């Protein structure tokens, strides 16, 4: 078995970045492999939160004194920062709304925007094998509309058998003029694949609204709304190196009514917003394209090793496992099952060897996997040595 080579300059770059994560360097005996659930925070993000709380902590848009003014400026500046990080070509037209994370962001669109966009007889497409956060809100919207006498059809997103990828051809055949809204995912949280969102647009036509769950892509790989012809991008700050309780909805404001969250706008998570600005600055300085290159290389090394261990099944596209595969790589997420050991037990065994992984059904929808599995999810602080040590432990369990 020959492991994929990783360039020395990329290793040196990664070592310098890994040293900036106190929780990682403070526990060298542990390997944190659960970044799809939440990412660890670099010192710059921790410093930004501390500085804000000790110099400018105040409520936003509710005072005229300097601390309040600085907080208001922070919030508006971070809105612009989010749009810039997403490569927004028309920030003067779009909108950025801060949320507690992807789940709240998707529910806000479903509750406050979608009912005003749909009419009786319209259809929406829902990815029932993706994360529950990108499924439940759209069914909730259907129920809310039904109470008002507006009946819409919820159509399941078609998937390719065995790979977890969307079946874009089947979607194109099913979509019609009443297909007005499509919920989709950028990187799948179980299978780790890029879901080829550009093909969604070609499948459903130029008029349908596309809402993108970018929880596993923002902060992990370059995301450009100039290239992705979607109408909403929703992500969680805590998966993009910021503090928990932070996230955003980016709205293009091109198809349908303007996105305006309903209800009274209360106090936002200002320290979370400060951490989000710092996280995006840190990622830009590190180079998000290099972060992607690193995590994809580690995932390729892991899958190359696993495919030689007969005791394991790897979820997702089987053609992407070999190091020399021409099929698109997994984006830093590798999910597996042992053919004889329960996934929960395997998670406990791995922790006894110092590996922190996710072991359950990963909040997948009803059309997803029925049996639990172990998910290894990577970020820039993970190392080649951790992957090789993990493979050694997994091999010992054959």
């Amino acid at each position: 078995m020959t492991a994929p080579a990783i360039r020395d300059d990329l290793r040196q770059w990664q070592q310098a970045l890994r040293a900036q994560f106190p929780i990682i360097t403070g526990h060298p005996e542990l390997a944190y492999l659960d970044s799809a659930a939440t990412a660890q925070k670099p010192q710059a993000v921790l410093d930004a939160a501390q500085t804000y709380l000790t110099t400018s902590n105040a409520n936003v848009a509710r005072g005229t004194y300097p601390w309040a003014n600085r907080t208001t400026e922070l919030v508006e500046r971070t809105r612009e920062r989010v749009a810039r990080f997403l490569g927004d070509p028309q920030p003067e037209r779009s909108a950025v709304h801060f949320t507690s994370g992807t789940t709240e962001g998707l529910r806000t669109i479903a509750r406050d925007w979608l009912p005003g966009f749909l009419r009786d007889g319209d259809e929406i497409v829902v990815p029932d094998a993706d994360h529950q956060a990108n499924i439940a809100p759209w069914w909730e919207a259907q129920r809310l509309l039904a109470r008002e006498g507006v009946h819409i059809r919820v159509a399941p997103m078609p998937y390719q058998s065995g790979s977890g990828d969307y079946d874009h051809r089947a979607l194109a055949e099913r979509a019609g003029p009443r297909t007005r809204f499509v919920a989709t995912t950028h990187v799948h949280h179980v299978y780790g694949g890029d879901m080829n969102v550009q093909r969604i647009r070609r499948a459903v036509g130029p008029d349908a609204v596309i809402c993108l769950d970018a929880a596993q892509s923002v902060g992990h790989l370059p995301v450009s709304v100039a290239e992705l012809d979607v109408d909403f991008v929703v992500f969680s700050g805590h998966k993009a190196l910021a503090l928990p309780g932070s996230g955003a909805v980016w709205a293009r404001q091109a198809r349908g009514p303007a996105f305006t969250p309903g209800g009274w706008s209360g106090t936002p998570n200002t320290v979370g917003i400060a951490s989000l600005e710092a996280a995006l600055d840190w990622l830009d300085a590190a180079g998000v394209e290099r972060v992607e290159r690193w995590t994809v290389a580690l995932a390729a090394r892991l899958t190359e090793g696993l495919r030689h261990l007969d005791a394991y099944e790897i979820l997702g596209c089987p053609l992407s496992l070999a190091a020399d595969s021409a099929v698109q790589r997994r984006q830093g997420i590798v999910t597996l099952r042992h053919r004889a050991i329960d996934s929960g037990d395997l998670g406990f065994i791995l922790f006894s060897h110092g590996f922190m992984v996710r072991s359950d059904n990963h909040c997948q929808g009803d059309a997803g996997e029925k049996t639990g599995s172990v998910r290894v999810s990577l970020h820039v602080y993970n190392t080649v040595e951790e992957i090789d040590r993990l493979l050694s432990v997994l091999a010992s369990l054959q």
Side-chain angles (χ1 to χ4, degrees), residues 152-237:
I152 65 170
R153 179 173 182 267
V154 178
M157 175 75 77
Y159 291 84
Q160 296 178 19
S161 176
S163 72
D165 295 330
Y166 296 148
D167 189 333
H168 302 92
R169 291 183 181 178
L171 178 62
E173 292 171 358
R174 296 182 188 180
R178 301 306 297 270
T179 304
R180 312 234 12 243
F181 181 89
V182 180
T184 184
T185 299
H186 198 180
V187 172
H188 200 281
H189 73 293
V190 175
Y191 306 121
D194 185 318
M195 303 302 279
N196 292 306
V197 179
Q198 292 93 333
R199 296 183 185 177
I200 298 288
R201 172 58 66 199
R202 292 199 293 271
V204 300
D207 299 324
V209 168
I210 299 177
C211 178
L212 183 66
D213 174 351
Q216 301 298 345
S217 58
V218 171
H220 299 259
L221 66 152
V223 178
S224 170
V225 296
E227 298 175 5
L228 300 170
D229 188 7
V230 298
D231 299 275
F232 294 99
V233 173
V234 190
F235 69 93
S236 298

Side-chain angles (χ1 to χ4, degrees), residues 25 71 78 88 117 159 175 244-245 247 290 292 330 349 358:
T25 58
T71 297
T78 308
D88 186 350
F117 175 65
Y159 291 84
R290 277 190 151 194
E292 178 189 24
R330 297 157 191 266
I349 293 170
R358 175 80 174 264

Side-chain angles (χ1 to χ4, degrees), residues 139 222 228 253 271 304 395:
W139 286 99
L228 300 170
Q253 311 286 54
V271 68
E304 170 70 15

Side-chain angles (χ1 to χ4, degrees), residues 34-363:
D34 196 21
S35 293
T38 194
Q40 299 304 334
K41 322 306 176 193
Q43 188 64 53
V45 169
L46 303 176
D47 290 345
Q50 176 80 3
T51 298
Y52 170 75
L53 289 173
T54 56
T55 63
S56 302
N57 183 37
N59 213 327
V60 60
R62 285 168 173 73
T64 56
Y65 51 91
W67 292 359
N69 292 338
R70 287 202 294 270
T71 297
T72 302
E73 290 168 4
L74 164 71
V75 171
E76 294 309 313
R77 187 174 68 240
T78 308
R79 290 188 206 279
E80 297 172 0
R81 188 71 185 87
V82 168
R84 191 164 69 253
F85 189 79
L86 297 178
D88 186 350
Q90 293 182 300
E92 70 284 352
R93 178 178 184 173
S94 63
V96 172
H97 172 69
F98 292 115
T99 69
S100 64
T102 303
T103 300
E104 186 197 347
L106 294 170
R107 288 196 72 229
T108 299
I109 297 168
R111 182 182 61 242
D112 297 341
W113 183 86
L114 193 60
F117 175 65
L118 297 176
R119 299 292 179 265
D120 195 67
D122 284 345
E123 176 185 87
I124 65 175
V125 178
V126 174
D128 286 337
D130 292 6
H131 198 286
Q132 285 282 2
N134 200 17
I135 302 171
W138 316 121
W139 286 99
E140 182 183 359
Q142 183 200 42
R143 292 191 294 271
L144 290 173
L145 284 163
R147 292 174 194 166
E148 300 174 3
V150 178
H151 300 281
I152 65 170
R153 179 173 182 267
V154 178
M157 175 75 77
Y159 291 84
Q160 296 178 19
S161 176
S163 72
D165 295 330
Y166 296 148
D167 189 333
H168 302 92
R169 291 183 181 178
L171 178 62
E173 292 171 358
R174 296 182 188 180
R178 301 306 297 270
T179 304
R180 312 234 12 243
F181 181 89
V182 180
T184 184
T185 299
H186 198 180
V187 172
H188 200 281
H189 73 293
V190 175
Y191 306 121
D194 185 318
M195 303 302 279
N196 292 306
V197 179
Q198 292 93 333
R199 296 183 185 177
I200 298 288
R201 172 58 66 199
R202 292 199 293 271
V204 300
D207 299 324
V209 168
I210 299 177
C211 178
L212 183 66
D213 174 351
Q216 301 298 345
S217 58
V218 171
H220 299 259
L221 66 152
V223 178
S224 170
V225 296
E227 298 175 5
L228 300 170
D229 188 7
V230 298
D231 299 275
F232 294 99
V233 173
V234 190
F235 69 93
S236 298
H238 74 95
K239 296 179 196 260
L241 310 183
L243 295 185
S246 62
V249 173
W250 172 88
R252 186 181 293 277
Q253 311 286 54
R255 299 175 180 93
F259 172 67
T260 304
W264 177 255
S265 179
T267 301
N269 179 6
T270 50
V271 68
I273 292 170
S275 77
L276 180 58
E277 180 187 41
L280 299 184
D281 287 345
W282 191 93
L283 286 162
D284 265 347
V288 185
E289 67 289 338
R290 277 190 151 194
V291 172
E292 178 189 24
R293 207 181 320 158
W294 181 259
T295 57
V296 167
L298 293 186
R301 193 179 188 93
L302 179 56
T303 54
E304 170 70 15
L306 281 169
R307 79 187 185 100
H308 296 278
L309 302 179
D310 294 337
Y312 296 93
E313 170 194 4
I314 306 176
L315 279 57
C317 178
L319 298 178
S320 67
L321 302 184
D324 58 354
S325 171
V327 178
Q328 187 168 356
R329 293 266 185 250
R330 297 157 191 266
Q331 292 288 341
I333 296 175
V334 180
T335 305
L336 58 107
R337 290 194 192 99
H338 194 288
R339 301 188 191 280
I341 302 174
D342 175 79
S343 62
D345 293 338
L346 182 57
F348 281 115
I349 293 170
L350 290 177
F351 181 70
S352 73
H353 291 274
F355 298 103
M356 293 180 280
V357 297
R358 175 80 174 264
S359 303
D360 57 16
N361 66 356
H362 317 294
C363 304

